[in-house]
Amino acid sequence: MELRGESGFKVVAYRRAARSVESMKEDLEEVYRNGKLESIPGVGKAIAGKISEFIETGKIETRDRLFGETPPGMAELLQISGLGPKTVSMLHQKLGVSSVEELERAAREHQVRRLPRMGPTSEKNILRAIERWKKRSDRIPLGVALPIAEEILGHLQKVEGIENLTLAGSLRRGRETVGDIDILATSTSPAVAIAAFVEIPAVEEVLMKGPTKGSVIVDETIQVDLRIVDHRSFGTVIQYFTGSKEHNVKLRQVALSKGYSLSEYSLTRVGSGEELFFDREEDLYSHLGMEWVPPEIREDQGEVEAALARKLPRLIEVSDIKGDLHVHSDWSDGRHSIEDMVKTAQDLGYEYMAMCDHSPGLGIANGLAEERLKKKMEFIEKLNDSIDGFRVLVGTEVDIRADGKLDYPDKILSQCDVVVASVHSAYNQREREMTNRIISAMESEYVDVIGHPTGRKIGEREPYDVDVERVLEAAARTETAMEINSHPSRLDLNDLWSRRARELGVKLAINTDAHSTCGLLAIEYGVKTARRGWLEKKDVLNALSLEDLMRHLQKS
Ligand code: DGT
Ligand code: CA
Ligand code: CA
Ligand code: ZN
Protein backbone atom coordinates (compact mmCIF):
# COMPACT_ATOMS: atom_id res chain seq x y z
CA MET A 1 0.00 0.00 0.00
CA GLU A 2 2.86 2.37 0.78
CA LEU A 3 4.41 1.65 -2.59
CA ARG A 4 1.09 2.29 -4.29
CA GLY A 5 0.85 5.67 -2.62
CA GLU A 6 -2.13 4.86 -0.40
CA SER A 7 -2.82 7.17 2.53
CA GLY A 8 -0.44 6.84 5.45
CA PHE A 9 -3.42 6.66 7.77
CA LYS A 10 -4.65 3.47 6.14
CA VAL A 11 -1.18 1.93 6.22
CA VAL A 12 -0.84 2.61 9.94
CA ALA A 13 -4.28 1.14 10.58
CA TYR A 14 -3.31 -2.12 8.86
CA ARG A 15 -0.06 -2.30 10.78
CA ARG A 16 -1.85 -1.84 14.05
CA ALA A 17 -4.44 -4.47 13.24
CA ALA A 18 -1.78 -6.92 12.08
CA ARG A 19 0.02 -6.49 15.34
CA SER A 20 -3.11 -7.20 17.38
CA VAL A 21 -3.96 -10.26 15.36
CA GLU A 22 -0.37 -11.48 15.64
CA SER A 23 -0.56 -11.49 19.43
CA MET A 24 -4.07 -12.83 19.89
CA LYS A 25 -4.46 -15.86 22.07
CA GLU A 26 -7.91 -16.79 20.74
CA ASP A 27 -8.45 -18.49 17.45
CA LEU A 28 -9.20 -15.80 14.86
CA GLU A 29 -11.75 -17.97 13.12
CA GLU A 30 -13.65 -18.48 16.33
CA VAL A 31 -13.72 -14.76 17.04
CA TYR A 32 -15.09 -14.33 13.53
CA ARG A 33 -17.78 -16.96 14.05
CA ASN A 34 -18.88 -15.22 17.23
CA GLY A 35 -19.17 -11.97 15.30
CA LYS A 36 -16.54 -10.35 17.53
CA LEU A 37 -13.88 -9.29 15.01
CA GLU A 38 -14.38 -5.59 15.75
CA SER A 39 -13.59 -6.14 19.40
CA ILE A 40 -9.97 -6.82 18.45
CA PRO A 41 -7.99 -3.65 19.24
CA GLY A 42 -7.28 -1.76 16.01
CA VAL A 43 -9.75 -3.75 13.93
CA GLY A 44 -12.55 -1.56 12.56
CA LYS A 45 -15.29 -2.25 10.10
CA ALA A 46 -13.14 -2.20 6.95
CA ILE A 47 -10.43 -4.48 8.25
CA ALA A 48 -12.98 -6.81 9.85
CA GLY A 49 -14.44 -7.12 6.37
CA LYS A 50 -11.07 -8.12 4.95
CA ILE A 51 -10.56 -10.72 7.67
CA SER A 52 -14.03 -12.16 7.01
CA GLU A 53 -13.28 -12.29 3.31
CA PHE A 54 -10.08 -14.20 4.01
CA ILE A 55 -11.76 -16.69 6.32
CA GLU A 56 -14.60 -17.29 3.88
CA THR A 57 -12.70 -17.36 0.58
CA GLY A 58 -9.07 -17.98 1.52
CA LYS A 59 -7.92 -14.75 -0.09
CA ILE A 60 -8.21 -10.98 0.02
CA GLU A 61 -8.99 -9.41 -3.31
CA THR A 62 -7.44 -6.04 -2.49
CA ARG A 63 -4.23 -7.70 -1.43
CA ASP A 64 -4.01 -9.80 -4.57
CA ARG A 65 -4.67 -6.72 -6.70
CA LEU A 66 -1.91 -4.77 -4.90
CA PHE A 67 0.55 -7.60 -5.34
CA GLY A 68 -0.47 -7.91 -9.00
CA GLU A 69 0.24 -4.23 -9.56
CA THR A 70 3.57 -4.18 -7.74
CA PRO A 71 6.64 -5.61 -9.45
CA PRO A 72 8.39 -7.96 -7.00
CA GLY A 73 11.69 -6.04 -7.23
CA MET A 74 10.11 -2.99 -5.64
CA ALA A 75 9.99 -4.47 -2.17
CA GLU A 76 13.69 -5.15 -2.53
CA LEU A 77 14.26 -1.49 -3.32
CA LEU A 78 13.03 -0.67 0.17
CA GLN A 79 16.07 -2.48 1.56
CA ILE A 80 18.35 0.13 0.00
CA SER A 81 19.02 2.43 2.90
CA GLY A 82 17.78 5.94 2.38
CA LEU A 83 14.93 4.87 0.11
CA GLY A 84 11.46 5.10 1.61
CA PRO A 85 8.20 4.03 0.00
CA LYS A 86 7.53 7.54 -1.38
CA THR A 87 10.84 7.68 -3.24
CA VAL A 88 10.54 4.12 -4.48
CA SER A 89 7.10 4.75 -5.90
CA MET A 90 8.26 8.00 -7.54
CA LEU A 91 11.23 6.18 -9.10
CA HIS A 92 8.80 3.64 -10.42
CA GLN A 93 6.35 6.17 -11.83
CA LYS A 94 8.85 8.57 -13.39
CA LEU A 95 11.64 6.23 -14.47
CA GLY A 96 9.95 2.86 -14.59
CA VAL A 97 12.46 1.54 -12.08
CA SER A 98 11.25 -1.64 -10.42
CA SER A 99 14.37 -3.43 -9.26
CA VAL A 100 17.75 -2.69 -7.70
CA GLU A 101 19.55 -3.34 -11.00
CA GLU A 102 17.28 -0.90 -12.84
CA LEU A 103 17.86 1.72 -10.19
CA GLU A 104 21.60 1.27 -10.42
CA ARG A 105 21.48 1.75 -14.18
CA ALA A 106 19.23 4.82 -13.90
CA ALA A 107 21.58 6.39 -11.34
CA ARG A 108 24.67 5.68 -13.45
CA GLU A 109 22.99 7.24 -16.46
CA HIS A 110 22.24 10.34 -14.34
CA GLN A 111 18.50 10.01 -14.74
CA VAL A 112 17.86 10.15 -11.03
CA ARG A 113 19.26 13.65 -10.49
CA ARG A 114 16.59 15.13 -12.76
CA LEU A 115 13.76 14.04 -10.50
CA PRO A 116 12.12 16.38 -7.98
CA ARG A 117 13.99 16.70 -4.65
CA MET A 118 16.93 14.76 -6.13
CA GLY A 119 20.34 15.87 -7.28
CA PRO A 120 23.88 14.65 -7.99
CA THR A 121 24.43 14.01 -4.27
CA SER A 122 21.37 11.85 -3.84
CA GLU A 123 22.41 9.95 -6.94
CA LYS A 124 25.83 9.32 -5.46
CA ASN A 125 24.28 8.26 -2.17
CA ILE A 126 21.98 5.83 -3.90
CA LEU A 127 24.91 4.21 -5.73
CA ARG A 128 26.86 3.90 -2.50
CA ALA A 129 23.86 2.41 -0.74
CA ILE A 130 23.48 -0.11 -3.56
CA GLU A 131 27.15 -1.08 -3.25
CA ARG A 132 26.65 -1.63 0.44
CA TRP A 133 23.46 -3.59 -0.13
CA LYS A 134 25.34 -5.91 -2.48
CA LYS A 135 28.16 -6.38 0.00
CA ARG A 136 25.89 -6.77 2.99
CA SER A 137 27.31 -9.63 4.96
CA ASP A 138 24.49 -11.45 6.57
CA ARG A 139 25.21 -10.74 10.18
CA ILE A 140 27.89 -9.14 12.35
CA PRO A 141 29.64 -11.31 14.94
CA LEU A 142 29.00 -10.18 18.52
CA GLY A 143 32.73 -9.76 19.05
CA VAL A 144 32.86 -7.15 16.27
CA ALA A 145 29.63 -5.35 17.15
CA LEU A 146 30.05 -4.99 20.89
CA PRO A 147 33.37 -3.08 20.96
CA ILE A 148 32.06 -0.72 18.26
CA ALA A 149 28.85 -0.20 20.20
CA GLU A 150 30.78 0.49 23.38
CA GLU A 151 32.93 3.07 21.66
CA ILE A 152 29.82 4.84 20.39
CA LEU A 153 28.20 4.69 23.82
CA GLY A 154 31.36 6.24 25.23
CA HIS A 155 30.94 9.25 22.94
CA LEU A 156 27.21 9.59 23.60
CA GLN A 157 27.71 9.44 27.36
CA LYS A 158 29.50 12.76 27.19
CA VAL A 159 26.72 14.51 25.28
CA GLU A 160 24.78 16.97 27.36
CA GLY A 161 21.21 16.01 28.17
CA ILE A 162 21.52 12.32 27.28
CA GLU A 163 20.28 9.88 29.88
CA ASN A 164 19.26 6.22 30.07
CA LEU A 165 21.73 5.34 27.34
CA THR A 166 21.20 1.62 26.59
CA LEU A 167 21.86 -0.98 23.94
CA ALA A 168 18.75 -2.62 22.58
CA GLY A 169 17.92 -5.29 20.00
CA SER A 170 19.85 -8.51 19.54
CA LEU A 171 23.01 -6.89 20.90
CA ARG A 172 21.39 -6.36 24.29
CA ARG A 173 20.21 -9.95 24.15
CA GLY A 174 23.78 -11.07 23.54
CA ARG A 175 23.08 -13.02 20.36
CA GLU A 176 26.22 -14.45 18.76
CA THR A 177 25.61 -12.38 15.64
CA VAL A 178 23.60 -9.20 15.18
CA GLY A 179 21.95 -7.55 12.20
CA ASP A 180 22.67 -4.03 13.35
CA ILE A 181 23.42 -2.00 16.46
CA ASP A 182 20.38 -0.54 18.20
CA ILE A 183 20.81 2.20 20.80
CA LEU A 184 18.15 3.99 22.85
CA ALA A 185 18.32 6.98 25.14
CA THR A 186 16.27 9.77 26.60
CA SER A 187 17.36 13.35 26.35
CA THR A 188 16.36 16.83 27.37
CA SER A 189 17.21 17.94 23.84
CA PRO A 190 16.88 15.16 21.26
CA ALA A 191 18.16 17.34 18.41
CA VAL A 192 21.46 17.91 20.20
CA ALA A 193 21.79 14.18 20.85
CA ILE A 194 21.18 13.23 17.23
CA ALA A 195 23.51 15.94 15.97
CA ALA A 196 26.27 14.66 18.25
CA PHE A 197 25.60 11.08 17.20
CA VAL A 198 26.09 11.69 13.48
CA GLU A 199 29.31 13.60 14.26
CA ILE A 200 31.01 10.71 16.06
CA PRO A 201 34.42 10.14 14.37
CA ALA A 202 33.69 6.48 13.57
CA VAL A 203 30.68 7.49 11.47
CA GLU A 204 31.39 7.01 7.78
CA GLU A 205 27.99 7.84 6.43
CA VAL A 206 24.74 9.31 7.69
CA LEU A 207 21.70 7.45 6.45
CA MET A 208 19.15 9.40 8.38
CA LYS A 209 19.06 12.37 10.67
CA GLY A 210 15.56 12.99 11.99
CA PRO A 211 14.37 14.91 15.04
CA THR A 212 14.53 11.88 17.35
CA LYS A 213 16.22 9.19 15.29
CA GLY A 214 19.58 8.89 13.62
CA SER A 215 20.95 6.10 11.46
CA VAL A 216 24.59 5.83 10.47
CA ILE A 217 27.11 3.46 8.94
CA VAL A 218 30.37 2.59 10.67
CA ASP A 219 33.09 0.16 9.63
CA GLU A 220 31.90 0.05 6.00
CA THR A 221 28.70 -1.94 6.41
CA ILE A 222 27.55 -1.79 10.02
CA GLN A 223 24.38 0.15 10.65
CA VAL A 224 23.87 1.90 13.98
CA ASP A 225 20.47 3.31 14.95
CA LEU A 226 19.98 5.77 17.78
CA ARG A 227 16.48 6.55 18.98
CA ILE A 228 15.77 9.27 21.49
CA VAL A 229 12.55 8.41 23.26
CA ASP A 230 10.13 9.89 25.77
CA HIS A 231 11.24 9.56 29.33
CA ARG A 232 7.86 8.48 30.61
CA SER A 233 7.68 5.62 28.06
CA PHE A 234 11.27 4.49 28.41
CA GLY A 235 10.35 1.19 30.07
CA THR A 236 7.96 0.10 27.33
CA VAL A 237 10.22 1.39 24.55
CA ILE A 238 13.34 -0.40 25.76
CA GLN A 239 11.27 -3.53 26.23
CA TYR A 240 9.90 -3.27 22.69
CA PHE A 241 13.21 -2.57 20.98
CA THR A 242 15.08 -5.23 22.91
CA GLY A 243 12.88 -7.91 21.41
CA SER A 244 13.04 -10.57 20.36
CA LYS A 245 10.01 -10.17 18.19
CA GLU A 246 8.83 -13.60 19.34
CA HIS A 247 9.18 -12.63 23.00
CA ASN A 248 7.26 -9.41 22.33
CA VAL A 249 4.43 -11.27 20.66
CA LYS A 250 4.14 -13.55 23.69
CA LEU A 251 4.26 -10.60 26.06
CA ARG A 252 1.46 -8.84 24.22
CA GLN A 253 -0.61 -12.01 24.61
CA VAL A 254 0.00 -11.91 28.34
CA ALA A 255 -1.03 -8.25 28.38
CA LEU A 256 -4.21 -9.02 26.43
CA SER A 257 -5.11 -11.83 28.79
CA LYS A 258 -4.94 -9.27 31.59
CA GLY A 259 -7.09 -6.79 29.69
CA TYR A 260 -4.37 -4.56 28.25
CA SER A 261 -3.00 -3.80 24.86
CA LEU A 262 0.74 -3.29 24.94
CA SER A 263 2.59 -0.95 22.59
CA GLU A 264 6.01 0.63 22.76
CA TYR A 265 4.38 3.75 24.26
CA SER A 266 2.12 2.39 26.93
CA LEU A 267 -0.05 -0.29 28.38
CA THR A 268 -3.64 0.60 27.50
CA ARG A 269 -6.66 -0.83 29.26
CA VAL A 270 -8.90 -2.39 26.60
CA GLY A 271 -12.33 -0.80 26.89
CA SER A 272 -11.66 2.25 29.03
CA GLY A 273 -8.62 3.30 27.02
CA GLU A 274 -6.81 4.30 30.20
CA GLU A 275 -3.08 4.54 29.51
CA LEU A 276 -0.33 3.44 31.86
CA PHE A 277 3.22 4.60 31.33
CA PHE A 278 6.37 2.92 32.58
CA ASP A 279 9.75 4.53 32.67
CA ARG A 280 11.33 1.31 33.93
CA GLU A 281 11.17 -2.03 32.20
CA GLU A 282 11.00 -3.80 35.57
CA ASP A 283 7.74 -2.02 36.41
CA LEU A 284 6.17 -3.08 33.13
CA TYR A 285 6.94 -6.76 33.70
CA SER A 286 5.84 -6.54 37.29
CA HIS A 287 2.57 -4.85 36.33
CA LEU A 288 1.93 -7.84 34.07
CA GLY A 289 2.44 -10.14 37.05
CA MET A 290 5.84 -11.36 35.91
CA GLU A 291 9.42 -11.44 37.04
CA TRP A 292 11.70 -9.17 35.04
CA VAL A 293 13.16 -11.30 32.25
CA PRO A 294 16.89 -10.92 31.60
CA PRO A 295 17.37 -9.80 27.96
CA GLU A 296 19.56 -12.78 27.07
CA ILE A 297 16.69 -15.23 27.38
CA ARG A 298 13.97 -13.19 25.67
CA GLU A 299 13.53 -15.61 22.80
CA ASP A 300 10.14 -17.15 23.56
CA GLN A 301 11.77 -20.37 24.70
CA GLY A 302 9.72 -20.77 27.85
CA GLU A 303 10.91 -17.63 29.64
CA VAL A 304 7.53 -15.90 29.61
CA GLU A 305 5.83 -18.89 31.24
CA ALA A 306 8.68 -19.17 33.76
CA ALA A 307 8.48 -15.46 34.59
CA LEU A 308 4.73 -15.70 35.17
CA ALA A 309 5.31 -18.66 37.49
CA ARG A 310 8.17 -16.76 39.16
CA LYS A 311 10.50 -19.61 38.30
CA LEU A 312 13.15 -17.88 36.22
CA PRO A 313 16.69 -19.16 36.78
CA ARG A 314 19.18 -16.88 38.52
CA LEU A 315 21.52 -16.52 35.59
CA ILE A 316 25.29 -16.71 36.00
CA GLU A 317 27.13 -13.37 36.09
CA VAL A 318 30.68 -12.37 35.21
CA SER A 319 31.31 -11.71 38.90
CA ASP A 320 30.51 -15.37 39.67
CA ILE A 321 33.51 -16.54 37.65
CA LYS A 322 36.36 -17.51 39.96
CA GLY A 323 38.97 -18.49 37.43
CA ASP A 324 39.79 -19.52 33.89
CA LEU A 325 40.47 -23.16 33.07
CA HIS A 326 41.89 -22.79 29.58
CA VAL A 327 44.53 -20.20 28.74
CA HIS A 328 47.78 -20.27 26.80
CA SER A 329 51.15 -18.69 27.48
CA ASP A 330 54.36 -18.11 25.58
CA TRP A 331 55.36 -21.64 26.56
CA SER A 332 53.34 -22.67 23.48
CA ASP A 333 51.55 -20.34 21.08
CA GLY A 334 50.45 -17.64 23.54
CA ARG A 335 51.77 -14.11 23.35
CA HIS A 336 52.39 -13.39 27.02
CA SER A 337 54.30 -14.98 29.85
CA ILE A 338 52.62 -16.94 32.61
CA GLU A 339 53.43 -14.11 35.04
CA ASP A 340 51.70 -11.53 32.84
CA MET A 341 48.66 -13.73 32.43
CA VAL A 342 48.54 -14.21 36.20
CA LYS A 343 48.66 -10.47 36.82
CA THR A 344 45.67 -9.87 34.57
CA ALA A 345 43.75 -12.78 36.09
CA GLN A 346 44.35 -11.32 39.54
CA ASP A 347 43.11 -7.95 38.32
CA LEU A 348 39.93 -9.70 37.22
CA GLY A 349 39.50 -10.94 40.77
CA TYR A 350 40.14 -14.58 39.95
CA GLU A 351 41.36 -17.18 42.44
CA TYR A 352 42.95 -19.50 39.92
CA MET A 353 43.88 -20.07 36.30
CA ALA A 354 44.89 -23.22 34.44
CA MET A 355 47.79 -22.77 32.05
CA CYS A 356 46.80 -25.11 29.24
CA ASP A 357 49.45 -25.06 26.57
CA HIS A 358 49.16 -27.35 23.58
CA SER A 359 50.47 -30.91 23.33
CA PRO A 360 53.28 -31.74 20.87
CA GLY A 361 51.03 -33.25 18.18
CA LEU A 362 50.20 -29.71 17.20
CA GLY A 363 53.55 -28.86 15.68
CA ILE A 364 52.25 -25.55 14.39
CA ALA A 365 51.23 -24.35 17.81
CA ASN A 366 54.63 -25.07 19.36
CA GLY A 367 53.16 -27.80 21.57
CA LEU A 368 55.10 -28.86 24.63
CA ALA A 369 57.13 -32.04 24.47
CA GLU A 370 57.03 -34.02 27.72
CA GLU A 371 60.33 -32.62 28.90
CA ARG A 372 59.14 -29.04 28.46
CA LEU A 373 55.87 -29.76 30.18
CA LYS A 374 57.82 -31.06 33.17
CA LYS A 375 59.90 -27.88 33.19
CA LYS A 376 56.73 -25.85 33.07
CA MET A 377 55.34 -27.78 36.04
CA GLU A 378 58.43 -26.95 38.07
CA PHE A 379 58.21 -23.34 37.00
CA ILE A 380 54.57 -23.10 38.08
CA GLU A 381 55.32 -24.73 41.40
CA LYS A 382 57.93 -22.08 42.15
CA LEU A 383 55.67 -19.31 40.96
CA ASN A 384 52.87 -20.50 43.26
CA ASP A 385 55.26 -20.26 46.20
CA SER A 386 55.77 -16.61 45.42
CA ILE A 387 52.14 -15.48 45.12
CA ASP A 388 49.39 -15.25 47.67
CA GLY A 389 45.66 -15.76 47.30
CA PHE A 390 45.97 -17.14 43.81
CA ARG A 391 46.84 -20.51 42.41
CA VAL A 392 48.28 -21.22 39.00
CA LEU A 393 47.06 -24.65 37.96
CA VAL A 394 49.10 -26.93 35.77
CA GLY A 395 47.00 -27.63 32.76
CA THR A 396 47.22 -28.82 29.22
CA GLU A 397 45.09 -28.60 26.13
CA VAL A 398 45.77 -32.07 24.91
CA ASP A 399 45.00 -32.92 21.34
CA ILE A 400 42.43 -35.62 20.66
CA ARG A 401 44.04 -37.51 17.81
CA ALA A 402 42.04 -38.75 14.86
CA ASP A 403 41.73 -42.21 16.46
CA GLY A 404 40.47 -40.78 19.76
CA LYS A 405 43.75 -41.32 21.61
CA LEU A 406 45.19 -38.45 23.60
CA ASP A 407 48.43 -36.77 22.63
CA TYR A 408 50.14 -37.33 26.02
CA PRO A 409 50.60 -40.58 27.94
CA ASP A 410 48.45 -41.04 31.05
CA LYS A 411 51.52 -40.65 33.23
CA ILE A 412 51.84 -37.03 32.13
CA LEU A 413 48.12 -36.30 32.20
CA SER A 414 47.87 -37.62 35.74
CA GLN A 415 50.29 -34.92 36.89
CA CYS A 416 48.16 -32.08 35.51
CA ASP A 417 45.59 -30.31 37.65
CA VAL A 418 43.33 -29.64 34.68
CA VAL A 419 43.17 -31.49 31.38
CA VAL A 420 41.27 -29.87 28.53
CA ALA A 421 40.99 -32.17 25.51
CA SER A 422 40.24 -30.71 22.08
CA VAL A 423 40.00 -31.64 18.43
CA HIS A 424 42.43 -29.71 16.23
CA SER A 425 42.87 -31.99 13.23
CA ALA A 426 41.04 -34.35 10.87
CA TYR A 427 37.94 -32.14 10.90
CA ASN A 428 36.42 -34.00 8.00
CA GLN A 429 35.67 -37.23 9.78
CA ARG A 430 32.19 -38.63 9.47
CA GLU A 431 29.73 -38.07 12.26
CA ARG A 432 30.08 -41.52 13.85
CA GLU A 433 33.85 -41.36 13.80
CA MET A 434 34.03 -37.84 15.18
CA THR A 435 31.47 -38.51 17.88
CA ASN A 436 33.23 -41.70 19.00
CA ARG A 437 36.56 -39.89 18.88
CA ILE A 438 35.39 -37.25 21.34
CA ILE A 439 33.61 -39.76 23.53
CA SER A 440 36.69 -41.95 23.79
CA ALA A 441 38.64 -38.91 25.00
CA MET A 442 36.00 -38.39 27.67
CA GLU A 443 36.39 -41.99 28.80
CA SER A 444 39.89 -41.14 29.97
CA GLU A 445 39.81 -40.63 33.69
CA TYR A 446 42.19 -37.69 33.31
CA VAL A 447 40.16 -35.54 30.95
CA ASP A 448 38.23 -32.85 32.82
CA VAL A 449 36.93 -30.61 30.05
CA ILE A 450 36.26 -30.92 26.32
CA GLY A 451 37.52 -27.73 24.65
CA HIS A 452 35.46 -25.92 21.97
CA PRO A 453 33.34 -29.06 21.54
CA THR A 454 31.96 -28.49 18.02
CA GLY A 455 34.89 -26.65 16.44
CA ARG A 456 32.76 -24.06 14.69
CA LYS A 457 34.00 -20.57 13.94
CA ILE A 458 31.23 -18.05 13.45
CA GLY A 459 30.91 -17.03 9.81
CA GLU A 460 34.06 -18.97 9.00
CA ARG A 461 33.80 -22.68 9.65
CA GLU A 462 30.83 -24.93 10.27
CA PRO A 463 30.91 -27.25 13.27
CA TYR A 464 32.46 -30.58 12.45
CA ASP A 465 30.07 -33.44 11.94
CA VAL A 466 29.37 -34.51 15.47
CA ASP A 467 26.34 -35.84 17.29
CA VAL A 468 26.34 -33.29 20.11
CA GLU A 469 23.44 -34.95 21.88
CA ARG A 470 25.42 -38.19 22.20
CA VAL A 471 28.51 -36.29 23.31
CA LEU A 472 26.48 -34.57 26.03
CA GLU A 473 25.01 -37.84 27.21
CA ALA A 474 28.52 -39.26 27.45
CA ALA A 475 29.63 -36.11 29.28
CA ALA A 476 26.91 -36.66 31.86
CA ARG A 477 27.94 -40.29 32.28
CA THR A 478 31.68 -39.66 32.50
CA GLU A 479 31.25 -36.44 34.47
CA THR A 480 33.26 -34.48 31.96
CA ALA A 481 32.63 -30.76 31.70
CA MET A 482 31.91 -29.11 28.37
CA GLU A 483 33.60 -25.87 27.53
CA ILE A 484 31.86 -22.70 26.53
CA ASN A 485 34.78 -21.21 24.66
CA SER A 486 34.34 -17.45 25.11
CA HIS A 487 36.33 -16.37 22.10
CA PRO A 488 33.79 -14.25 20.23
CA SER A 489 34.40 -16.08 16.98
CA ARG A 490 33.82 -19.44 18.68
CA LEU A 491 31.17 -19.26 21.43
CA ASP A 492 31.32 -23.03 21.46
CA LEU A 493 29.23 -24.71 22.90
CA ASN A 494 26.60 -22.26 21.75
CA ASP A 495 23.59 -21.06 23.75
CA LEU A 496 21.20 -23.84 22.73
CA TRP A 497 23.62 -26.69 23.36
CA SER A 498 24.66 -25.16 26.66
CA ARG A 499 21.05 -25.22 27.73
CA ARG A 500 20.73 -28.83 26.65
CA ALA A 501 23.90 -29.70 28.56
CA ARG A 502 22.44 -28.17 31.68
CA GLU A 503 19.24 -30.19 31.26
CA LEU A 504 21.33 -33.35 31.09
CA GLY A 505 23.20 -32.40 34.24
CA VAL A 506 26.47 -31.67 32.48
CA LYS A 507 28.75 -29.02 33.98
CA LEU A 508 30.02 -26.22 31.77
CA ALA A 509 33.40 -24.49 31.98
CA ILE A 510 33.32 -20.93 30.67
CA ASN A 511 36.88 -20.46 29.43
CA THR A 512 38.54 -17.83 27.29
CA ASP A 513 41.23 -19.88 25.53
CA ALA A 514 43.17 -16.61 25.86
CA HIS A 515 46.41 -16.39 23.89
CA SER A 516 47.23 -12.98 25.40
CA THR A 517 46.37 -10.96 28.49
CA CYS A 518 43.54 -9.07 26.82
CA GLY A 519 42.13 -12.38 25.59
CA LEU A 520 41.10 -12.98 29.19
CA LEU A 521 38.52 -10.20 28.88
CA ALA A 522 36.52 -12.30 26.42
CA ILE A 523 34.96 -13.99 29.44
CA GLU A 524 32.15 -11.45 28.99
CA TYR A 525 31.08 -13.12 25.74
CA GLY A 526 31.18 -16.61 27.21
CA VAL A 527 29.06 -15.52 30.14
CA LYS A 528 26.52 -13.93 27.78
CA THR A 529 26.30 -17.21 25.89
CA ALA A 530 25.93 -19.11 29.16
CA ARG A 531 23.13 -16.77 30.21
CA ARG A 532 21.41 -17.33 26.88
CA GLY A 533 21.68 -21.03 27.75
CA TRP A 534 19.86 -20.41 31.06
CA LEU A 535 22.93 -21.38 33.10
CA GLU A 536 23.15 -20.70 36.79
CA LYS A 537 26.20 -20.48 38.99
CA LYS A 538 25.82 -24.08 40.08
CA ASP A 539 26.08 -25.29 36.48
CA VAL A 540 29.48 -23.73 35.96
CA LEU A 541 32.69 -25.48 36.96
CA ASN A 542 34.81 -22.34 37.19
CA ALA A 543 32.28 -20.59 39.39
CA LEU A 544 33.54 -22.93 42.13
CA SER A 545 36.01 -21.62 44.67
CA LEU A 546 39.53 -23.01 44.35
CA GLU A 547 38.92 -25.41 47.19
CA ASP A 548 35.66 -26.75 45.76
CA LEU A 549 37.16 -26.96 42.31
CA MET A 550 40.09 -29.04 43.52
CA ARG A 551 37.71 -31.32 45.37
CA HIS A 552 35.62 -31.64 42.22
CA LEU A 553 38.68 -32.50 40.16
CA GLN A 554 39.66 -34.94 42.94
CA LYS A 555 43.22 -33.90 42.73
CA SER A 556 43.74 -31.74 45.78
P1 DGT B 1 18.88 -8.28 14.43
O1 DGT B 1 19.12 -6.81 14.34
O2 DGT B 1 18.46 -8.90 13.16
O3 DGT B 1 20.04 -9.01 15.03
O4 DGT B 1 17.66 -8.55 15.43
P2 DGT B 1 16.91 -7.56 16.40
O5 DGT B 1 16.15 -8.42 17.36
O6 DGT B 1 17.82 -6.54 16.98
O7 DGT B 1 15.83 -6.89 15.45
P3 DGT B 1 15.67 -5.42 14.86
O8 DGT B 1 16.93 -4.64 14.88
O9 DGT B 1 14.99 -5.59 13.55
O10 DGT B 1 14.59 -4.77 15.82
C1 DGT B 1 14.88 -4.51 17.18
C2 DGT B 1 13.74 -4.96 18.04
O11 DGT B 1 12.53 -4.25 17.72
C3 DGT B 1 13.34 -6.41 17.88
O12 DGT B 1 14.14 -7.28 18.63
C4 DGT B 1 11.92 -6.40 18.38
C5 DGT B 1 11.40 -5.08 17.90
N1 DGT B 1 10.69 -5.28 16.63
C6 DGT B 1 11.10 -4.91 15.41
N2 DGT B 1 10.19 -5.24 14.48
C7 DGT B 1 9.18 -5.83 15.12
C8 DGT B 1 7.91 -6.40 14.69
O13 DGT B 1 7.55 -6.42 13.53
N3 DGT B 1 7.11 -6.94 15.67
C9 DGT B 1 7.49 -6.93 16.98
N4 DGT B 1 6.67 -7.47 17.87
N5 DGT B 1 8.64 -6.42 17.40
C10 DGT B 1 9.48 -5.87 16.49
CA1 CA C 1 19.07 -5.12 15.75
CA1 CA D 1 17.55 -1.99 14.15
ZN1 ZN E 1 43.28 -23.51 23.47
Side-chain angles (χ1 to χ4, degrees), residues 139 169-170 173 178-180 182 240-245 248 252:
R139 302 182 59 81
S170 49
R173 304 200 308 280
V178 303
D180 64 359
D182 300 295
Y240 178 82
F241 283 109
T242 297
S244 66
K245 186 173 175 234
N248 289 357
R252 291 204 304 266

Side-chain angles (χ1 to χ4, degrees), residues 338-339 341-343 345-346 350-355 375-395 415-418 546 550:
I338 294 180
E339 297 95 309
M341 296 298 280
V342 167
K343 251 178 247 140
Q346 285 178 309
Y350 289 170
E351 296 177 17
Y352 52 85
M353 177 167 60
M355 303 306 307
K375 283 226 172 73
K376 188 175 125 178
M377 287 175 183
E378 287 159 20
F379 179 85
I380 288 175
E381 205 179 301
K382 272 203 210 108
L383 185 61
N384 274 327
D385 287 341
S386 72
I387 44 181
D388 273 339
F390 188 91
R391 171 98 170 260
V392 186
L393 302 172
V394 173
Q415 296 170 49
C416 292
D417 298 312
V418 177
L546 176 62
M550 295 316 276

Side-chain angles (χ1 to χ4, degrees), residues 437-472:
R437 173 181 179 185
I438 296 173
I439 291 176
S440 62
M442 288 193 288
E443 308 278 1
S444 154
E445 62 174 300
Y446 303 111
V447 170
D448 303 301
V449 180
I450 297 296
H452 40 76
T454 77
R456 65 100 174 243
K457 288 203 170 168
I458 297 170
E460 224 179 286
R461 188 171 75 205
E462 291 296 308
Y464 30 69
D465 237 339
V466 55
D467 185 341
V468 182
E469 181 76 20
R470 258 187 71 209
V471 168
L472 293 180

